[in-house]
Amino acid sequence: MLAAMLPYACVLVLFGAHTALVAGEAGGSHLRWEPRCQRPLTDRMPSTAIRPPHLNGPWISTGCEVRPGPEFLTRAYTFYPSRLFRAHQFYYEDPFCGEPAHSLLVKGKVRLRRPRLVEELYLGDIHTDRAERRHYRPTGYQRPLQSALHHVRPCPACGLIARSDVHHPPVLPPPLALPLRLGGWWVSSGCEVRPAVLFLTRLFTFHGHSRSWEGYYHHFSDPACQQPTFTVYATGRYTRGTPSTRVRGGTELVFEVTRAHVTPMDQVTTAMLNFSEPRSCGGAGAWSVGTERDVTATNGCLPLGIRLPHVEYELFKMEQDPLGQSLLFIGQRPTDGSSPDTPEKRPTSYQAPLVLCRGEAPNFSRPPQHRPLPQKHPSTGGLRVAPRPLLSLVLGLAFLCWL
């Protein structure tokens, strides 16, 4: 009777002594080397958004998940034709999900709006500030769940999670420990979604011998990353990493951004830049679609929220997937759009991983300034800036999440 009167009912089962409160192209242009690295890498079948989504059945995590805090968990959800659902969330003491702490069972009813379903199930993102989670309406997505019946194989964790229950949380095998070796080219595995309805892809090059980095961040107006709005090229240096004391298995670094170039890719962004305050984004002269301009001399690009020079306190880790592919995890961006520009704001969780394109990148020089780029540029990067509909309103912004 009580459960019928509540929007959901939950049961908490503790394990061990620890408890926690849980709230419910060629031509000399670097980074345009080979076709495989010009676009997000994916070894999956093409995705199709199904609306309304077909939720029925079991959906599971494919490995240990890390949330801000940090919190370590795995999830197993089951949706029924009656729109009822049952969700198991298993929390752990360690970042490898091998030491269970407690389990949470949630039951309730789904009210369908527009959740995104492709080969995977994307549930709303969790605010990085724990105090804001109770009132936060998601504007992005968490790490996706996969169908327990049709998940990508191989997946050593999938069977363990699918067979678990509230009294028997899955104990995952420890992952292969990989040292943090950043040298090489890293690319998004697909179109990424950030809070505030931002769609982007990322492409980074790290030069380990000089501890310098450079990256392309491509922004789009659609969730398939097919309609480019603008591209940012940025470069700088980073410090030698040290093991994190807050997130076991993570490495703490400090990144400095010293140089940036902007390329508007559509008429809306181009017009916005042309109507911006003089000397607020690049030198004198008109912007045009597909033409890159250096914004370093103006200390960034105020209309896009880019500020130079810029320092961020970062969290990195490397893993290897079951197919032997190297993955690079970079710290999750704050939900409120701010920047981790102090040690206290260093991330405690991670974004979607980047995939290694190849090993150590050769030395190369920047292409000539104002070089025109095709409007339909391949999707390979991503940078946290203001949402496209709000670009004209962000003249006062002084932050930018670079990585």
Side-chain angles (χ1 to χ4, degrees), residues 264-275:
M265 302 301 293
D266 68 353
Q267 294 293 347
V268 173
T269 306
T270 303
M272 183 274 297
L273 292 175
N274 279 325
F275 281 103

Side-chain angles (χ1 to χ4, degrees), residues 71-384:
E71 295 176 342
F72 314 109
L73 74 155
T74 58
R75 297 175 290 157
Y77 289 25
T78 302
F79 297 90
Y80 301 97
S82 61
R83 292 190 177 178
L84 296 177
F85 75 92
R86 181 188 67 202
H88 288 99
Q89 294 185 348
F90 307 102
Y91 290 81
Y92 302 82
E93 300 279 6
D94 67 305
F96 315 117
C97 293
E99 304 172 16
H102 62 270
S103 298
L104 184 65
L105 171 62
V106 180
K107 297 180 180 180
K109 190 170 185 177
V110 177
R111 182 171 61 178
L112 291 179
R113 290 181 180 270
R114 296 175 69 90
R116 186 176 177 220
L117 176 67
V118 286
E119 293 282 337
E120 301 157 320
L121 177 63
Y122 290 78
L123 301 180
D125 64 319
I126 306 298
H127 203 289
T128 52
D129 184 346
R130 183 188 293 271
E132 298 292 331
R133 293 180 185 177
R134 181 179 297 273
H135 309 288
Y136 173 66
R137 181 177 292 275
T139 58
Y141 299 102
Q142 300 179 56
R143 177 175 173 175
L145 301 174
Q146 292 187 7
S147 169
L149 303 178
H150 305 288
H151 59 265
V152 174
R153 293 178 171 82
C155 178
C158 292
L160 296 173
I161 298 173
R163 293 190 297 268
S164 60
D165 60 48
V166 68
H167 297 289
H168 303 88
V171 176
L172 306 188
L176 176 64
L178 293 180
L180 188 65
R181 295 176 178 172
L182 293 181
W185 308 340
W186 301 85
V187 65
S188 298
S189 60
C191 190
E192 301 178 5
V193 181
R194 298 269 180 88
V197 197
L198 297 176
F199 310 108
L200 50 89
T201 56
R202 300 171 290 159
L203 175 62
F204 292 123
T205 300
F206 298 97
H207 304 282
H209 60 283
S210 62
R211 291 205 293 275
S212 61
W213 70 276
E214 47 195 327
Y216 267 114
Y217 310 78
H218 295 269
H219 286 257
F220 303 83
S221 61
D222 66 297
C225 288
Q226 295 296 313
Q227 301 173 26
T229 55
F230 64 94
T231 295
V232 176
Y233 164 80
T235 185
R237 300 181 63 82
Y238 61 92
T239 63
R240 188 184 304 274
T242 59
S244 173
T245 58
R246 297 187 64 191
V247 184
R248 184 152 42 119
T251 300
E252 296 181 349
L253 306 97
V254 178
F255 276 78
E256 182 181 15
V257 188
T258 58
R259 183 180 177 189
H261 292 232
V262 172
T263 307
M265 302 301 293
D266 68 353
Q267 294 293 347
V268 173
T269 306
T270 303
M272 183 274 297
L273 292 175
N274 279 325
F275 281 103
S276 62
E277 291 292 327
R279 304 294 298 177
S280 67
C281 184
W287 290 85
S288 59
V289 174
T291 298
E292 180 184 69
R293 296 182 63 181
D294 192 337
V295 299
T296 307
T298 53
N299 297 322
C301 183
L302 192 58
L304 294 179
I306 301 174
R307 178 169 52 89
L308 295 175
H310 183 75
V311 174
E312 289 205 346
Y313 294 82
E314 263 299 349
L315 180 71
F316 276 47
K317 76 170 178 178
M318 283 184 63
E319 289 185 358
Q320 194 173 73
D321 67 15
L323 296 176
Q325 175 67 61
S326 296
L327 306 176
L328 177 62
F329 293 80
I330 300 177
Q332 184 175 350
R333 304 296 86 194
T335 305
D336 64 5
S338 63
S339 170
D341 53 6
T342 65
E344 294 76 20
K345 297 174 65 176
R346 190 187 299 273
T348 56
S349 60
Y350 302 97
Q351 302 177 55
L354 301 172
V355 178
L356 181 64
C357 258
R358 66 188 323 181
E360 180 74 22
N363 291 324
F364 40 63
S365 58
R366 282 284 296 155
Q369 191 173 344
H370 304 298
R371 175 177 179 171
L373 298 174
Q375 287 201 38
K376 288 293 183 180
H377 197 279
S379 46
T380 45
L383 180 63
R384 173 68 171 96

